[in-house]
Amino acid sequence: MIAIYPHFCTSPEAQLWRGCKVLTLIHECTHFTDVFDSNDGMYGISIRLSFWAQTNPDHAIRNADSLTCYVGFEE
């Protein structure tokens, strides 16, 4: 089960580097134990996440937004 705020309904379908439906769904799905069993050590899809991941690699590998970037932006 995924619980999301009503703001989800008015979010854009997809866009880079801001909240959108696609990234929200990817983020929430990474929390499922049979997917990645991720946590929320750092929130936000921004340059801050990149810097945080460089200094916290052991936490970043299981962070929901880190995984969201990997899945959502992979070409």
Side-chain angles (χ1 to χ4, degrees), residues 1-12 19-21 24-25 27-28 31 40 43:
M1 178 184 291
I2 296 175
I4 52 177
Y5 287 101
H7 177 66
F8 174 84
C9 299
T10 60
S11 294
C20 68
K21 290 178 181 172
T24 299
L25 291 173
H27 172 104
E28 294 306 327
H31 288 304
D40 290 318
Y43 280 106

Side-chain angles (χ1 to χ4, degrees), residues 10 63 70:
T10 60
N63 185 62
Y70 180 77

Side-chain angles (χ1 to χ4, degrees), residues 5-58:
Y5 287 101
H7 177 66
F8 174 84
C9 299
T10 60
S11 294
E13 295 293 324
Q15 62 183 18
L16 296 177
W17 301 107
R18 288 194 62 191
C20 68
K21 290 178 181 172
V22 170
L23 296 180
T24 299
L25 291 173
I26 293 169
H27 172 104
E28 294 306 327
C29 287
T30 67
H31 288 304
F32 293 143
T33 55
D34 60 342
V35 178
F36 288 109
D37 195 22
S38 68
N39 57 54
D40 290 318
M42 174 71 170
Y43 280 106
I45 295 176
S46 67
I47 195 69
R48 285 182 32 230
L49 179 63
S50 175
F51 289 123
W52 176 81
Q54 291 175 40
T55 58
N56 298 281
D58 293 338

